[in-house]
Amino acid sequence: MSAPPVSLSLPDRAGLPQAGPLAADLAQALAGPGPVRLDTAPAQDVGLAVLQLLVAAHRQAAAAGVRLEIAVPAGSAMETAMKLHGLSDAGLVGADGLWTGLPVGVAQG
């Protein structure tokens, strides 16, 4: 039997001040057997620091063999931030509105 998903949500403002607590929550969730789901719909503002954190979280999840799903609703602040910072053209979000990983060569470096 697979483990139940761990559910997290972004706060209303998801910028640099919120990145530290979010990093701690994600690290704790990714230490388990997974999967981990992050709801971004509550966020009205998403900053670059949080986007960078989520790219790193996907790397960590992949290394640990844990599925990380990030919900990116159409028209959301998360979708807008991804477009603003060039992540929407990378094909990260599927037709189902989930960002489930990083294609090879994306955000590496």
Side-chain angles (χ1 to χ4, degrees), residues 10-26 45-47 49-50 53:
L10 287 183
D12 182 53
R13 291 190 47 83
L16 184 57
Q18 295 78 31
L22 178 59
D25 290 345
L26 282 168
D45 182 41
V46 178
V50 169
L53 172 62

Side-chain angles (χ1 to χ4, degrees), residues 5 16 23 35 49 56 78 81 95 104 106:
L16 184 57
M78 183 66 168
V104 175
V106 173

Side-chain angles (χ1 to χ4, degrees), residues 3-100:
V6 175
S7 296
L8 303 171
S9 295
L10 287 183
D12 182 53
R13 291 190 47 83
L16 184 57
Q18 295 78 31
L22 178 59
D25 290 345
L26 282 168
Q28 182 177 5
L30 292 172
V36 176
R37 294 185 183 150
L38 178 65
D39 180 12
T40 66
Q44 298 301 307
D45 182 41
V46 178
L48 181 57
V50 169
L51 291 177
Q52 291 171 323
L53 172 62
L54 296 179
V55 168
H58 272 297
R59 288 184 187 162
Q60 179 181 348
V66 176
R67 182 174 175 85
L68 172 59
E69 299 177 343
I70 300 175
V72 184
S76 67
M78 183 66 168
E79 182 184 58
T80 300
M82 290 180 79
K83 285 179 183 176
L84 178 67
H85 296 290
L87 291 176
S88 62
D89 295 333
L92 300 176
V93 179
D96 57 0
L98 290 177
W99 175 10
T100 58

